[in-house]
Amino acid sequence: MQILVLPGDGIGPEITAATVTVLRTVSDRFDLGLELVDDIVGHESLRRYGTTVRPELLEKARAADGLVLGPAATYDFKDEAKGEINPSMFFRKNLDLFANIRPSRTYEGFPGRIGKFDLVVVRENTEGFYADRNMELGNGEMLVTPDVAISLRRITRQCCERIARAGFELAMRRQRRVTLVHKANVLKIGDGMVFLGECRKVAAEFPDVTVDEVLVDAMMAHVVRNPQRFDVIVTTNMFGDILSDLTAELSGSLGLGGSLNAGTTYAMAQASHGSAPDIAGKNIANPFSLILSAALLLAWQGRRGGKTEFEEAARAIETAVEAAIAAHEVTSDIGGRLGTNEAASALADRIRSSREASYKRA
Ligand code: NAD
């Protein structure tokens, strides 16, 4: 099983190294046979190759069984003609990773900022307000005159249908509750007719799932006031991006924001947050976001290929994260004293000596 590992910018290399430590540990422990293949994207690639993402990385990604992508300094990348391509967009669009699965939950030992909850934001990943991925050719943002800009929001029935289906299927494995988040009072066609229309059709196929619909602005209040109300939240691209940063921080820290970008054939682990230049190079970033993302990737591979050892490895990572948080063996953003490296090593030790691991060995 080959995984392409792309560390990115800012804290990317630090949290990716931490994630590689944990992946190697679970690979040994659960006989996963992971082969980690390193390459680069972002500023280092721009310096060395004149582009933030070399086109051949797409073939490399397709040949692999999964990707781990560290955060990139996407705000710095302004001009695609100069090789400044957003690596996130590149892989999400070209590998058709339409579902961005972003779980947020609280933990014993650090019960979040507003009490316990456990929810998943299921965010459409390939269109919506993200104009840079909406066109077959060219960019969906245009400067019409020096004073007039247009950013194109694309909403298609196909993308709404498949993200709704991903959300309802996930809800069937969880609490069987789906909340559809939208702005149909203003975007009456895109969010009303198309997004909600498609979601309601899919909902009809899942009679065991309870469905409610919430306007995105009110959602910000509801999720802070009563996050326990939510299980699976299905929404369009930008709303999901914003909402999932809020839910990650409410769970304790953006540094707990794991996420998986999944399509029908490929999947990519990628933390919810950005490259955090304010803390880069200090060995203080929380690596759990990318480590939990890698666990989501292993679970996805396990479910897809019927490989129970991958699902066990994913569970072992999640259990070890829970235990590490309870024992305060964590970084300072969630109340610990460990550095990025030390938190990853402690987690790896915990996985090595876990009960599941000894059971497997026996
Ligand atoms: P950010 O998400 O990088 O950081 C926001 C805040 O959260 C900062 O205070 C940061 O220190 C903190 N934080 C983030 N990750 C953390 C971690 N693992 N542990 C502890 N604290 C953490 O947002 P930003 O500063 O607005 O963006 C920085 C860069 O990242 C920009 O260039 C932006 O475009 C880019 N970005 C990239 C991605 C991506 O590659 N997927 C996503 C979002 C933003």
Side-chain angles (χ1 to χ4, degrees):
M1 178 74 67
Q2 200 182 76
I3 296 185
L4 180 61
V5 178
L6 305 163
D9 300 308
I11 61 170
E14 298 163 66
I15 62 171
T16 304
T19 303
V20 164
T21 299
V22 171
L23 281 174
R24 291 218 165 99
T25 304
V26 289
S27 183
D28 288 350
R29 196 34 102 191
F30 295 93
D31 298 326
L32 304 183
L34 293 184
E35 184 199 343
L36 305 178
V37 179
D38 297 320
D39 213 307
I40 55 169
V41 292
H43 274 297
E44 193 189 342
S45 174
L46 190 62
R47 268 192 308 276
R48 279 167 60 175
Y49 302 114
T51 177
T52 52
V53 193
R54 300 179 340 274
E56 62 259 36
L57 280 189
L58 193 55
E59 282 321 305
K60 236 173 155 169
R62 285 191 178 125
D65 300 287
L67 283 81
V68 172
L69 177 66
T74 48
Y75 197 28
D76 297 349
F77 307 146
K78 309 239 187 294
D79 189 350
E80 290 195 3
K82 293 182 181 154
E84 298 171 1
I85 298 157
N86 175 346
S88 256
M89 177 277 294
F90 178 84
F91 291 112
R92 288 173 185 176
K93 180 175 173 179
N94 290 309
L95 298 176
D96 201 22
L97 306 175
F98 63 86
N100 190 197
I101 311 294
R102 294 186 159 186
S104 284
R105 53 159 292 198
T106 46
Y107 295 87
E108 297 298 326
F110 196 85
R113 306 200 181 277
I114 49 165
K116 290 184 181 178
F117 66 90
D118 184 346
L119 56 79
V120 185
V121 176
V122 175
R123 161 199 179 199
E124 204 291 323
N125 222 7
T126 50
E127 56 172 20
F129 271 124
Y130 285 67
D132 63 347
R133 63 211 62 176
N134 280 344
M135 310 287 280
E136 180 64 29
L137 197 61
N139 195 306
E141 270 212 307
M142 290 149 274
L143 195 60
V144 181
T145 75
D147 302 319
V148 178
I150 293 179
S151 309
L152 198 77
R153 177 185 195 247
R154 189 186 73 181
I155 297 289
T156 60
R157 289 198 180 277
Q158 184 215 3
C159 290
C160 294
E161 193 274 340
R162 63 187 185 172
I163 197 61
R165 192 166 295 285
F168 279 86
E169 283 171 357
L170 177 61
M172 288 299 287
R173 303 198 297 272
R174 291 178 47 95
Q175 301 299 313
R176 301 188 173 192
R177 285 182 283 131
V178 166
T179 304
L180 307 172
V181 172
H182 62 91
K183 189 68 184 166
N185 55 335
V186 175
L187 301 167
K188 294 177 197 293
I189 299 174
D191 270 17
M193 189 192 295
V194 180
F195 173 69
L196 284 181
E198 288 305 307
C199 289
R200 286 171 190 156
K201 276 192 229 161
V202 173
E205 295 175 35
F206 293 85
D208 295 337
V209 177
T210 310
V211 187
D212 68 347
E213 298 176 7
V214 180
L215 288 166
V216 67
D217 38 355
M219 185 67 182
M220 300 297 141
H222 286 300
V223 88
V224 172
R225 190 188 296 164
N226 184 17
Q228 298 79 7
R229 168 177 164 186
F230 302 106
D231 177 27
V232 173
I233 298 164
V234 176
T235 191
T236 50
N237 199 339
M238 191 178 285
F239 296 162
D241 196 12
I242 296 167
L243 179 60
S244 57
D245 263 31
L246 176 63
T247 54
E249 189 64 25
L250 290 174
S251 81
S253 167
L254 263 183
L256 290 173
S259 103
L260 184 73
N261 302 271
T264 46
T265 316
Y266 304 102
M268 175 171 83
Q270 186 187 25
S272 299
H273 56 73
S275 59
D278 53 342
I279 57 168
K282 297 180 179 165
N283 192 38
I284 59 172
N286 189 341
F288 287 0
S289 51
L290 195 57
I291 291 169
L292 287 167
S293 307
L296 290 169
L297 176 63
L298 295 179
W300 182 85
Q301 285 163 332
R303 260 198 318 279
R304 220 169 136 257
K307 299 189 189 81
T308 51
E309 67 275 23
F310 278 71
E311 295 192 78
E312 277 175 45
R315 268 198 302 278
I317 294 174
E318 286 160 5
T319 306
V321 165
E322 277 171 30
I325 293 174
H328 307 293
E329 282 187 1
V330 292
T331 45
S332 57
D333 57 317
I334 47 172
R337 292 188 184 162
L338 299 187
T340 309
N341 291 335
E342 294 70 31
S345 301
L347 197 72
D349 290 346
R350 205 174 270 284
I351 291 167
R352 266 183 223 107
S353 59
S354 65
R355 276 232 309 281
E356 293 95 315
S358 358
Y359 173 73
K360 176 108 176 113
R361 217 179 22 240

